[in-house]
Amino acid sequence: EQPRSARRVAPHAASRRVVSMLGAAFVVSAATAAVPGVATPPAAAADDLPATTRVLVRTAPNTVLAVDRDGGPWLYPDPARGRLAMTDLLAARTMRDDFVAAGLRDLRPALGVPEVAVQAYLDRGLDRWLVATFDSPAAAAAMVEDLSELAPMASVIEVVELDGVGGVAAAPPDDPWFPLQYGMRNTGQNVAGVTGVVGADVNVLPAWDWTIGSPDVVVGVLDSGIDRHEEYESRLMAGWNVPDNTDSFADECSSHGTHVTGILGGEGDNGQGIAGVSWRCAILPVVVTDGCSGYESWVADGIIWAVDHGADILNMSLQYSTGTQLLADAVAWASDAGVIQVAAAGNTGGLDDVQAPARFPETIAVAATDNTDHRWSSSSAGPEIDLAAPGWRIYSCASTFNYVYKSGTSMAAPFVSGAVALMLSVDPELDPLTAKVILRSTAEDVESIGFDDLTGSGRLDVAAAVLALDPTPPAAGDLDRDGRVDGRDFGILLGSWGACPGDCEEVCPGDLDGDCTVNGIDLGLLFADWTG
């Protein structure tokens, strides 16, 4: 499985040179910028598939594509092969105006040109396919309709269709509210009236094929407290309330810490609620506010307590404008101790106003994006930002059994903390600096090209970050991908005992030897991998 950035479909670098060599079937503006592929099936396809912004067009042989100074595309028969008719000019102008009115972002060859079987490539007309990218799925669908109506008059068009969507075979978890979690898997679903951009998510599904986390990884949640929600209650450790100097850690701020914890550690594939990023991590609650506010010294004290009680990661969905030396020193000390610290950038909306503790160099500072891959308008910005994650309208836990939407960089930070928990589960020796470098180098670039003060190095890509550690593939017997082969895996195998129905690869996880039957041989293979 490759990270999303390595799976982009891009034209071959030599497309213009080879097209010219093959007879200049069309001409493309050299100034046209590449657009990463987002694709989907026609509107009649299943409702749970993403809506596309791409249209595929196959031109007739000897068709010319030219781009005028305003970026408008012109498709017309090659005038070198005959006189252009008035209908050709009229159709070309109509198509040009329709493309521009629909919000065309890019128009370019759909494929690179091979160096082998070139004649077969030409005979199949593969050199004549173009891909047009639009601002919205509605614009793409309207363009298909317009071009279909023009086709009888415009002899330059043979086929027009919406691009098809697919992907890796990683199946989403069975949690009923998972489709609401665009931050985990953005299929273009509508959120609060805004249609999302396919793939504007943290790309976590492929990572779950490698690991769903380990109970040996402890995430300290420094927040307003954590309620005992059913999504993670069994993994809550004994915590501490710094302001009250007690071990009571009930949430004191409208489920803020509870919501954060669900994002980073809600249990997935359990048939209820949502899925967090890391399903097996241990959670250490540390209350550092009285209600929704508090002192920086309380945070510093909470850092010391959490590190002293075994935290490997600290999630600090907090914002403080002062940034005292005491807090800075506590953060630096935790980093010296090898603890990876993730902090929310803040919700001030300022362009050079990253809050503490995110502004300290030892933390991983996280900005917030929305479901269209743009910076959330209230997310604090500045040169200290390392990367971004979804933070607008995030669906997660509330009280002990409910689920709600919340927005903020507080919601973005736990995506990154959950990713770090997965990374530590495959590499327990991961240190703070290496974690930051990997997260930034594997992030998916959004907003401006390269690093920017709004989203840092880009949006979190969990799968790319995990795979950058070059993890050993999970043992065959590790059916639940938690890094262990134990009673959970034994139960999964027994649950699928006997002949596998239908497609045994998808519905028969206990079939370790691939014979479409779960029997004693598979049981023996599982025990061969047993860790207990």
Side-chain angles (χ1 to χ4, degrees):
E1 175 59 37
Q2 294 177 307
R4 186 189 309 279
S5 59
R7 295 202 306 271
R8 291 176 173 173
V9 178
H12 194 284
S15 291
R16 284 179 54 81
R17 174 182 58 80
V18 181
V19 167
S20 175
M21 179 185 71
L22 296 177
F26 44 77
V27 179
V28 182
S29 168
T32 304
V35 177
V38 287
T40 193
D47 291 339
D48 62 346
L49 290 174
T52 187
T53 58
R54 288 164 56 105
V55 173
L56 299 174
V57 178
R58 188 175 73 193
T59 64
N62 304 314
T63 295
V64 173
L65 167 62
V67 180
D68 61 30
R69 68 178 62 185
D70 297 321
W74 294 75
L75 284 166
Y76 51 87
D78 187 350
R81 295 179 176 269
R83 184 176 179 179
L84 296 180
M86 183 61 67
T87 55
D88 295 325
L89 299 176
L90 178 61
R93 179 55 190 260
T94 302
M95 281 189 288
R96 185 263 185 206
D97 292 346
D98 285 351
F99 271 116
V100 173
L104 179 70
R105 290 172 55 193
D106 187 38
L107 180 65
R108 61 174 55 250
L111 305 173
V113 181
E115 297 181 1
V116 299
V118 174
Q119 190 57 51
Y121 179 88
L122 296 174
D123 291 343
R124 294 281 184 181
L126 292 172
D127 61 313
R128 296 186 273 117
W129 281 100
L130 306 174
V131 58
T133 305
F134 296 89
D135 290 330
S136 70
M143 197 67 217
V144 170
E145 183 177 355
D146 290 347
L147 290 179
S148 297
E149 293 175 354
L150 275 171
M153 178 176 66
S155 59
V156 295
I157 298 176
E158 291 184 345
V159 179
V160 56
E161 58 191 5
L162 290 172
D163 205 348
V165 71
V168 298
D174 64 6
D175 308 86
W177 303 128
F178 189 76
L180 300 179
Q181 297 181 265
Y182 80 85
M184 296 288 193
R185 187 189 188 213
N186 196 331
T187 60
Q189 62 265 58
N190 188 285
V191 180
V194 179
T195 299
V197 171
V198 178
D201 53 50
V202 299
N203 191 31
V204 69
L205 266 69
W208 287 334
D209 284 338
W210 291 83
T211 179
I212 57 172
S214 168
D216 296 330
V217 175
V218 178
V219 183
V221 180
L222 276 64
D223 215 290
S224 61
I226 303 175
D227 288 329
R228 295 182 179 275
H229 199 284
E230 56 190 1
E231 289 284 2
Y232 52 72
E233 181 179 10
S234 64
R235 290 176 283 122
L236 283 174
M237 302 173 65
W240 188 248
N241 188 313
V242 174
D244 294 345
N245 199 36
T246 69
D247 59 3
S248 174
F249 54 79
D251 203 328
E252 302 177 3
C253 183
S254 302
S255 294
H256 184 275
T258 304
H259 196 271
V260 163
T261 304
I263 295 167
L264 73 87
E267 183 169 358
D269 219 20
N270 62 348
Q272 68 179 24
I274 62 158
V277 178
S278 178
W279 304 351
R280 296 285 182 267
C281 64
I283 299 162
L284 182 65
V286 186
V287 183
V288 295
T289 64
D290 186 4
C292 298
S293 60
Y295 297 104
E296 293 189 22
S297 60
W298 290 348
V299 181
D301 199 10
I303 290 173
I304 303 298
W305 189 92
V307 174
D308 197 40
H309 286 77
D312 302 299
I313 304 163
L314 299 182
N315 185 90
M316 295 181 284
S317 290
L318 308 164
Q319 60 175 35
Y320 297 86
S321 59
T322 301
T324 62
Q325 188 63 50
L326 171 62
L327 182 55
D329 288 347
V331 166
W333 170 83
S335 183
D336 290 341
V339 175
I340 301 170
Q341 300 169 86
V342 179
N347 304 330
T348 69
L351 297 182
D352 190 11
D353 196 25
V354 177
Q355 301 290 285
R359 75 169 69 128
F360 302 141
E362 294 85 1
T363 66
I364 298 170
V366 185
T369 57
D370 60 19
N371 66 334
T372 66
D373 246 356
H374 289 97
R375 170 233 188 187
W376 176 55
S377 59
S378 295
S379 180
S380 299
E384 300 92 347
I385 298 294
D386 290 301
L387 76 165
W392 174 76
R393 297 283 297 174
I394 303 301
Y395 199 63
S396 184
C397 303
S399 67
T400 57
F401 60 88
N402 286 332
Y403 302 86
V404 297
Y405 287 100
K406 288 182 181 290
S407 298
T409 56
S410 286
M411 286 61 252
F415 280 104
V416 176
S417 295
V420 175
L422 295 183
M423 294 165 71
L424 275 172
S425 71
V426 299
D427 182 4
E429 302 302 318
L430 183 67
D431 63 86
L433 180 57
T434 302
K436 178 183 286 195
V437 169
I438 289 176
L439 288 166
R440 290 186 57 163
S441 64
T442 58
E444 186 79 5
D445 201 10
V446 294
E447 292 289 352
S448 303
I449 296 174
F451 180 89
D452 62 78
D453 287 355
L454 302 181
T455 59
S457 296
R459 179 197 7 93
L460 170 68
D461 187 325
V462 180
V466 169
L467 291 175
L469 294 167
D470 194 22
T472 301
D478 184 11
L479 301 179
D480 64 359
R481 294 298 185 260
D482 67 350
R484 298 180 176 183
V485 181
D486 53 19
R488 284 180 177 270
D489 305 295
F490 180 62
I492 293 172
L493 187 143
L494 292 183
S496 56
W497 194 268
C500 299
D503 184 350
C504 60
E505 181 179 351
E506 292 297 325
V507 301
C508 215
D511 179 23
L512 300 182
D513 63 356
D515 66 353
C516 289
T517 301
V518 180
N519 53 27
I521 296 175
D522 302 297
L523 184 60
L525 292 172
L526 184 142
F527 283 136
D529 293 330
W530 192 264
T531 61

